[in-house]
Amino acid sequence: RYYGRGPEENAVDRARSQFLGVYEADVDALFVDYVRPQDNGYKGEVRWVEFRDAAGKGVRFTASEPLFVQALHYTADDLDRSRHRGPAFGVGERRFRSPLVPRDEVCLNLDIRQCGLGGASCGPRPLDEHLFPIRPEAWTVRIEPAR
């Protein structure tokens, strides 16, 4: 359960199609099975997010500013390795598709900044307003039992 933009995945430059509210979904439902496995499932402007088990016990995360939250049964490396083989992003890399195998655990990303998606792979780069400078950041996260 979370309070942020939803219910579908969204990004800093793709947020207006999703509305602020309280949403609930199983972690399995947060994964978007694109033809080419890639980073996905982010929820933007999240004020709080909580995860509970079948017995109702869980954990709640809040931060000093809105978050971008991703919770999947895959790591970024799992997604990347399902479509690439060979030297890491180097010469000799071959593309292929192998089945993704979900992990038992939840792989959680809590981010305070996110670059826009733009369309640099097949169009223009993100707008300058959806980029951010690399600089030191300071923020706090509170982790407590879900109530």
Side-chain angles (χ1 to χ4, degrees):
R1 229 171 65 126
Y2 70 97
Y3 175 52
R5 289 201 178 265
E8 303 301 322
E9 73 173 342
N10 55 89
V12 69
D13 59 348
R14 308 268 165 89
R16 291 188 179 163
S17 66
Q18 303 302 307
F19 301 98
L20 283 174
V22 176
Y23 299 96
E24 188 170 337
D26 185 275
V27 171
D28 291 334
L30 301 176
F31 176 71
V32 181
D33 192 15
Y34 289 114
V35 171
R36 181 175 180 233
Q38 58 191 285
D39 208 16
N40 69 83
Y42 273 95
K43 309 299 186 193
E45 297 183 42
V46 174
R47 281 30 177 212
W48 55 261
V49 61
E50 59 187 30
F51 299 90
R52 295 176 186 264
D53 63 15
K57 293 183 179 182
V59 62
R60 181 181 181 113
F61 298 88
T62 55
S64 56
E65 57 186 283
L67 296 165
F68 291 94
V69 176
Q70 178 192 54
L72 301 174
H73 288 293
Y74 307 100
T75 65
D77 195 47
D78 293 337
L79 296 170
D80 186 59
R81 289 185 186 279
S82 75
R83 67 180 192 266
H84 296 98
R85 179 175 289 149
F89 306 106
V91 177
E93 181 178 62
R94 293 180 298 137
R95 292 182 186 254
F96 74 107
R97 174 73 194 257
S98 64
L100 283 166
V101 178
R103 295 171 179 266
D104 292 332
E105 63 268 18
V106 174
C107 302
L108 177 64
N109 286 316
L110 303 174
D111 299 319
I112 58 167
R113 302 283 181 262
Q114 184 186 66
C115 285
L117 300 175
S121 64
C122 60
R125 66 184 213 123
L127 298 174
D128 287 343
E129 67 191 72
H130 300 303
L131 298 174
F132 64 91
I134 302 301
R135 64 177 189 247
E137 298 278 357
W139 55 292
T140 59
V141 174
R142 182 176 181 158
I143 304 170
E144 59 189 334
R147 298 180 194 152

